[in-house]
């Protein structure tokens, strides 16, 4: 009776695949003004059906479209209070997306994001109230103010980094708040500027049409922030910074390979600051006023909680975190102070169980599942044996499976030939005429793969000093030293290599 245990093999994830017509010309629609496609469709060849199929290589634009489209469709049917909550979510999400560009893409840990927003909002509001500047020009004054303020903050980033720069920017935000509070022109109003003109008519203010118009403006603002993220993070500046971070995170190394790391960081900081200035101008117009509360540490920590919960360095993380925290802080305002505790509990739970926020939970789960699958395969397979059941379906060239099976049987036979007499024979004469068994073992060692293959290195020319090394098998990567022992006889070095290979064979 056959006692073998059979396991299920193969697992192909469900995915919709199109069936393009191979006789017609394919037309790819591109985003106006760019060379990018709306959706990243790619044609692949199905080896099983021998047909061409069309798959969506990058599904993120599709999820963005569905998510943002759902917000637009659902919001008009919400209550007035919830429409205001969704509008605040769009504003906070825009700020977080731009802050993610500074912290994630540029790698500058700045805590003066709200300081840039507040400074631009105050300047734009002051120009409108005291100088009579029309509200459409506030969208020009805000970015210019944000650009100037960002240039001032960017100067110390070339000298300071990490915690020191974070403390500096936190101090700048506090200085801005104290300056506004002590400004004599605003003392009567507690540092606030009121009666700011905006795009919402006075008759519609706090009415449903005005709330919907405000949501539309905030949603366009969020789309603009996402556009800035896309143009910066996915284009040349973002790619240069990613390459620099991947190269040992060394600024000097990045400059040595031709990447002006410092200039790229400053450009991202300035672009983000200008965009944050536009958010500040919109903030003053939407609320019709602006107060020193925008510089407060409480608001900054609330935005920081959004980034921690959603995931640092990702636009989708900034938007998701803003949605969760805004709903808890503004949508559940009837709970009172306990809602802040709820935000803190969400932060603690995410940091404990999710490595890169909620948006990184999927990749973390995949790593966990693959690790557990590998452990399960290892329990029912031998080290260095045949292909694992799940792996067999993923190998395209089935000849590799037969080679692994042949190699395993060959190793099992060669292990029986390894005896003390065979080792003593090789020690007596490593390069002489060998018996049939030793010749078989040596032939197997000689045709092994180049990766981690043992070689003998002569320490200095014309000197009988040798050391054993292992080549990497990769071009440009130097070999590694196996041990520090030196040999004065070449035959002794040959035999030492033989013993190492025998140990590897017996352990396989």
């Amino acid at each position: 009776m056959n006692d073998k245990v059979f396991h299920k093999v193969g697992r192909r994830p469900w995915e919709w695949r199109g069936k393009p017509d191979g006789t017609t010309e394919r037309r790819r629609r591109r985003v106006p003004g760019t060379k990018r496609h709306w959706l990243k469709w790619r044609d692949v060849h199905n080896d099983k059906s021998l047909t061409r199929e069309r798959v969506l290589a990058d599904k993120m634009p599709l999820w963005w479209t569905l998510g943002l489209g759902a917000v637009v469709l659902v919001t008009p049917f919400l209550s007035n209070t919830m429409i205001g909550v969704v509008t605040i979510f769009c504003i906070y999400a825009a700020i977080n997306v731009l802050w993610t560009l500074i912290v994630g893409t540029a790698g500058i840990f700045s805590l003066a994001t709200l300081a840039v927003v507040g400074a631009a909002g105050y300047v734009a509001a002051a120009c409108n109230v005291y100088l009579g500047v029309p509200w459409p020009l506030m969208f020009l004054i805000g970015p210019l103010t944000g650009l100037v303020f960002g240039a001032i903050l960017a100067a110390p980033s070339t000298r300071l980094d990490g915690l020191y720069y974070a403390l500096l920017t936190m101090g700048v935000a506090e200085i801005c708040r104290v300056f506004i509070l002590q400004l004599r022109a605003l003392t009567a109003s507690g540092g606030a500027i009121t009666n700011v003109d905006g795009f919402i008519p006075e008759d519609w203010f706090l009415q449903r049409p005005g709330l919907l118009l405000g949501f539309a403006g905030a949603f366009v603002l969020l789309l603009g922030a996402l556009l800035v993220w896309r143009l910066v993070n996915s284009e040349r500046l973002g790619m240069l910074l990613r390459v620099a971070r991947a190269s040992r995170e060394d600024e000097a190394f990045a400059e040595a390979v031709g990447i002006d790391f410092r200039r790229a960081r400053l450009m991202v900081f300035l672009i983000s600051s200008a965009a944050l200035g536009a958010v500040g101008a919109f903030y003053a117009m939407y609320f019709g006023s602006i107060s020193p509360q925008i510089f407060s540490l409480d608001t900054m920590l609330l935005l920081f909680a959004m980034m921690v919960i959603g995931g640092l360095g990702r636009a989708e993380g900034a938007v998701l975190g803003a949605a969760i925290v805004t709903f808890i802080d503004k949508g559940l305002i009837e709970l009172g102070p306990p809602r802040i505790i709820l935000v803190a509990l969400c932060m603690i739970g995410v940091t404990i169980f999710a490595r890169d926020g909620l948006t990184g939970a999927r990749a973390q789960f995949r790593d966990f599942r693959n690790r557990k699958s590998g452990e399960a395969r290892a329990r029912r397979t031998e080290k260095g044996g045949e292909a694992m059941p799940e792996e067999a379906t993923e190998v395209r060239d089935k000849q590799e499976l037969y080679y692994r099976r042949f190699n395993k049987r060959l190793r099992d036979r060669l292990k029986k030939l390894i005896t003390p007499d065979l080792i003593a024979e090789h020690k007596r004469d490593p390069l002489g005429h060998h018996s049939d068994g030793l010749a078989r073992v040596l032939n197997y060692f000689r045709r092994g793969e180049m990766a981690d293959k043992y070689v003998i290195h002569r320490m200095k020319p014309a000197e009988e000093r040798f050391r054993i090394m292992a080549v990497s098998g990769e071009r440009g990567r130097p070999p590694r030293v196996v041990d520090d022992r030196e040999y004065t006889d070449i035959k002794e070095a040959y035999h030492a290599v033989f013993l190492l290979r025998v140990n590897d064979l017996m352990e396989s």
Side-chain angles (χ1 to χ4, degrees), residues 79-379:
S79 62
N80 292 350
T81 303
M82 291 307 298
I83 292 177
V85 172
V86 175
T87 304
I88 296 175
F89 150 70
C90 292
I91 297 175
Y92 282 169
I95 297 175
N96 265 349
V97 168
L98 298 173
W99 193 10
T100 302
L101 271 179
I102 298 175
V103 178
T105 303
I108 302 175
F109 196 71
S110 172
L111 298 179
T113 302
L114 287 177
V116 178
V117 175
Y122 261 96
V123 173
C127 291
N128 175 258
V129 174
Y130 301 117
L131 301 180
V133 176
W135 68 264
L137 293 181
M138 294 175 64
F139 282 113
L140 180 62
I141 297 174
L144 289 177
T145 306
L147 183 62
V148 174
F149 201 78
I152 297 174
L153 291 175
S157 66
T158 60
R159 299 293 182 182
L160 298 177
D161 201 358
L163 179 61
Y164 293 101
Y165 186 75
L167 294 176
L168 173 65
T169 52
M170 183 184 296
V172 169
E174 183 64 18
I175 289 174
C176 292
R177 188 185 69 85
V178 175
F179 172 78
I180 294 297
L181 287 175
Q182 296 183 359
L183 198 62
R184 291 185 177 181
L186 302 177
T187 303
S189 59
I193 298 179
T194 57
N195 299 323
V196 181
D197 295 335
F199 56 93
I200 302 177
E202 293 183 3
D203 298 338
W204 289 5
F205 192 71
L206 296 181
Q207 303 298 320
R208 190 171 184 85
L211 293 175
L212 291 175
L213 183 59
F215 160 72
F219 186 78
V220 173
L221 186 72
L222 175 58
L223 293 181
L226 291 174
L227 179 61
V228 173
W229 162 273
R230 178 72 176 182
L231 295 178
V232 174
N233 188 71
S234 301
E235 297 297 334
R236 187 172 184 273
L237 279 176
M239 290 188 289
L240 288 177
L241 291 173
R242 283 195 296 273
V243 170
R245 286 200 304 270
S247 57
R248 310 172 195 172
E249 298 186 357
D250 189 354
E251 183 176 342
F253 182 84
E255 293 180 354
V257 297
I259 299 175
D260 196 344
F261 185 71
R262 185 175 303 176
R263 180 177 179 273
R265 293 178 67 187
L266 293 179
M267 288 296 296
V268 173
F269 194 95
L270 294 177
I271 294 173
S272 302
S273 298
L276 287 171
V279 176
F282 178 88
Y283 184 93
M285 284 187 290
Y286 173 74
F287 290 101
S289 63
I290 188 169
S291 67
Q293 181 65 23
I294 195 171
F295 297 106
S296 67
L297 183 63
D298 299 341
T299 308
M300 185 192 67
L301 293 179
L302 201 65
L303 291 176
F304 190 73
M306 298 176 187
M307 296 181 65
V308 172
I309 293 174
L312 186 64
R314 300 183 181 184
E316 57 272 20
V319 176
L320 180 61
I324 295 174
V325 176
T326 304
F327 175 75
I328 296 175
D329 184 53
K330 305 297 182 182
L332 304 179
I333 197 170
E334 296 179 356
L335 293 178
R339 72 185 190 279
I340 306 300
I341 304 299
L342 185 58
V343 173
L345 292 177
C346 290
M347 288 182 60
I348 295 174
V350 169
T351 52
I352 292 176
F353 298 104
R355 185 173 52 205
D356 296 322
L358 293 180
T359 54
R362 184 182 181 186
Q364 183 178 352
F365 174 74
R366 285 182 174 179
D367 294 340
F368 172 78
R369 184 183 62 186
N370 294 336
R371 184 173 68 253
K372 291 300 180 181
S373 300
E375 293 175 358
R377 289 194 297 264
R379 284 194 296 266

